[in-house]
């Protein structure tokens, strides 16, 4: 890399892209009138959360749960912006008045509740994806062989098939296809930045839509490493198998996160770059080639995030001292 690159993270949202910097998360959304608007949310991690993020294995679990809790806020902004553009002005004025009154009545407990729902949604989804293949494999191959490791391998294969079928199916819908295009735009911008390129649409479009440091790669790693980790602890019946999966799920998440960081770190070393290829292959489904206007939105989000991060640094704010309010969306 031609310049030092902090661990900026991105996420595609409806009609836009969210980038997370050191001090702030920024979502940029393309409106119907072609304006780009921003939601800017300062990071407000507690000191104990920051400490947990530095502990191997634990940091992966903390990061993913934290992203699930905070990501819903940016997704809601994107969805609400899209809904506003499709609503008549008179009706929109009424809705904004209702929203204003609702926000005035929000308490810390209500905000905490939204975060909890985001976390529970992630955990519930992950648990379902972990346990359904167990029941399917047990139903189809219960008496096929006695070796529990073979059962684990078949279960991993079923999990992979379910994931591929699911991603292929949803990628055919127009909304998800655009979401995956924005996902590709986000990857292209990060890759161009890491290569030291000036962030113009033309420069960014030259780069691949695939990137080692991606949640899609993480999903693939949880399947592969899950088979290995689950095979360390034997089970003799379906109940033990289910309990083992639930208990070891945090371990699978933590180890997968560390391996993802490792494959990203060695991607420029000949021979070792292939370790990250399974995740890149999955991104062929979870990303699509973006249009120029999508890349423009992604660049705007990334540049705005870096601009605000630099401004916060210039004011001498420490990472732990950033307050947790939401800044007023600024039009770009």
């Amino acid at each position: 890399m031609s310049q030092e690159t902090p661990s900026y993270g991105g996420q595609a949202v409806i009609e836009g892209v969210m980038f997370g910097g050191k001090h702030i998360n920024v979502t940029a959304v393309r409106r119907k009138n072609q304006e780009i608007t921003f939601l800017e949310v300062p990071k407000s991690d507690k000191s104990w959360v920051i400490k947990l993020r530095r502990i191997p294995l634990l940091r992966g679990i903390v990061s993913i749960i934290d992203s699930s809790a905070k990501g819903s806020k940016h997704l809601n902004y994107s969805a609400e912006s899209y809904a506003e553009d499709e609503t008549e002005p008179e009706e929109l004025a009424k809705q904004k008045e209702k929203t204003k009154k609702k926000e005035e009545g929000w308490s810390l407990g209500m905000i905490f509740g939204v975060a909890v729902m985001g976390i529970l949604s992630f955990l519930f989804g992950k648990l379902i994806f972990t346990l359904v293949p167990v029941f399917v494999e047990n139903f189809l191959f219960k008496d096929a062989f006695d070796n529990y490791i073979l059962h684990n391998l078949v279960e991993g294969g079923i999990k992979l098939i379910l994931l591929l079928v699911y991603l292929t199916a949803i990628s055919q819908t127009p909304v998800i296809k655009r979401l995956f295009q924005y996902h590709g735009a986000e990857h292209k911008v990060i890759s161009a930045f890491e290569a030291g390129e000036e962030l113009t649409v033309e420069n960014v479009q030259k780069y691949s839509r695939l990137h080692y440091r991606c949640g899609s790669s993480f999903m693939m790693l949880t399947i592969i490493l899950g088979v290995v980790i689950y095979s360390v602890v034997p089970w003799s019946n379906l109940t033990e198998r289910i309990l083992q999966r639930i208990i070891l799920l945090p371990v699978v998440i933590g180890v997968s996160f560390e391996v993802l960081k490792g494959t990203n770190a060695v991607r420029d070393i000949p021979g070792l770059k292939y370790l990250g290829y399974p995740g890149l292959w999955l991104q062929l489904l979870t990303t699509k080639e973006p249009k120029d206007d999508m890349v423009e939105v992604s660049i705007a989000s990334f540049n705005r995030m870096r601009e605000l991060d630099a401004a916060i640094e210039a004011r001498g704010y420490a990472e732990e001292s950033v307050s947790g309010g939401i800044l007023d969306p600024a039009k770009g």
Side-chain angles (χ1 to χ4, degrees):
M1 298 178 189
S2 58
Q3 57 181 292
E4 184 179 355
T5 56
S7 56
Y8 295 131
Q11 177 179 330
V13 294
I14 301 173
E15 297 301 326
V17 173
M18 185 274 282
F19 278 104
K22 185 177 180 181
H23 301 294
I24 197 163
N25 297 325
V26 175
T27 294
V29 174
R30 171 83 68 182
R31 306 303 292 267
K32 194 172 185 179
N33 62 4
Q34 298 306 305
E35 284 187 300
I36 297 176
T37 61
F38 302 95
L39 174 68
E40 301 154 0
V41 184
K43 290 187 174 180
S44 55
D45 291 339
K46 302 296 184 183
S47 59
W48 62 272
V49 174
I50 295 171
K51 291 177 181 178
L52 288 178
R53 284 180 180 274
R54 296 170 182 154
I55 301 176
L57 296 181
L58 283 180
R59 61 189 173 189
I61 300 171
V62 172
S63 295
I64 291 168
I65 291 178
D66 185 56
S67 296
S68 301
K70 294 178 178 177
S72 58
K73 184 181 296 181
H74 293 267
L75 186 61
N76 286 341
Y77 170 70
S78 178
E80 288 168 1
S81 298
Y82 178 81
E84 284 182 7
D85 289 340
E86 300 299 320
T87 305
E88 294 296 328
E90 296 80 5
E91 181 63 25
L92 181 60
K94 294 179 182 179
Q95 291 180 5
K96 284 187 174 181
E97 183 62 27
K98 291 180 181 178
T99 301
K100 182 179 179 181
K101 291 180 180 179
K102 181 180 178 181
E103 289 177 347
E104 289 173 350
W106 270 32
S107 64
L108 180 61
M110 294 175 68
I111 296 173
F112 177 74
V114 172
V116 169
M117 285 304 297
I119 294 171
L120 291 178
S121 297
F122 163 76
L123 293 178
F124 180 75
K126 186 60 183 171
L127 199 60
I128 290 296
F129 183 67
T130 298
L131 295 183
V132 166
V134 172
F135 289 109
V136 173
E137 195 281 335
N138 184 74
F139 177 76
L140 295 177
F141 302 98
K142 181 178 180 180
D143 300 318
F145 26 76
D146 295 328
N147 191 317
Y148 77 94
I149 294 180
L150 290 178
H151 282 287
N152 290 347
L153 287 171
V154 175
E155 175 193 332
I158 292 173
K159 187 179 296 184
L160 178 59
I161 292 171
L162 290 177
L163 177 63
L164 296 178
V165 169
Y166 171 73
L167 291 175
T168 301
I170 65 172
S171 66
Q172 304 307 308
T173 64
V175 172
I176 300 301
K177 182 179 179 180
R178 287 186 65 82
L179 183 69
F180 287 174
Q181 285 179 293
Y182 275 110
H183 191 189
E186 168 236 318
H187 284 180
K188 283 173 175 275
V189 167
I190 293 178
S191 294
F193 174 76
E194 289 176 338
E197 289 268 18
E198 179 185 359
L199 296 184
T200 65
V201 173
E202 183 180 4
N203 286 342
V204 169
Q205 284 285 34
K206 294 186 300 185
Y207 287 85
S208 172
R209 73 178 197 265
L210 312 181
H211 196 283
Y212 277 76
R213 196 173 58 249
C214 174
S216 301
S217 298
F218 175 79
M219 286 192 293
M220 181 64 79
L221 283 171
T222 59
I223 294 176
I224 297 172
L225 295 175
V227 172
V228 177
I229 293 171
Y230 294 144
S231 297
V232 173
V233 182
W235 49 267
S236 58
N237 55 60
L238 183 59
T239 301
E240 287 184 4
R241 188 177 183 180
I242 292 171
L243 289 175
Q244 182 213 63
R245 298 301 187 267
I246 295 173
I247 293 171
L248 291 179
L249 182 56
V251 178
V252 173
I253 292 174
V255 172
S256 298
F257 185 86
E258 298 302 324
V259 173
L260 179 62
K261 288 176 66 69
T263 57
N264 183 63
V266 301
R267 61 180 176 171
D268 295 323
I269 300 176
L272 296 182
K273 66 178 183 179
Y274 299 108
L275 294 174
Y277 272 34
L280 295 179
W281 293 334
L282 186 61
Q283 289 175 46
L284 293 173
L285 288 177
T286 61
T287 65
K288 302 292 182 184
E289 284 295 330
K291 298 177 181 179
D292 287 351
D293 61 336
M294 297 175 175
V295 172
E296 185 182 6
V297 173
S298 188
I299 292 173
S301 177
F302 190 78
N303 283 341
R304 183 63 174 163
M305 177 270 295
R306 293 191 64 222
E307 174 189 338
L308 293 176
D309 253 1
I312 292 172
E313 292 279 357
R315 293 198 297 267
Y317 285 11
E319 184 175 355
E320 292 85 352
S321 69
V322 178
S323 61
I326 301 177
L327 304 182
D328 292 334
K331 292 185 177 180

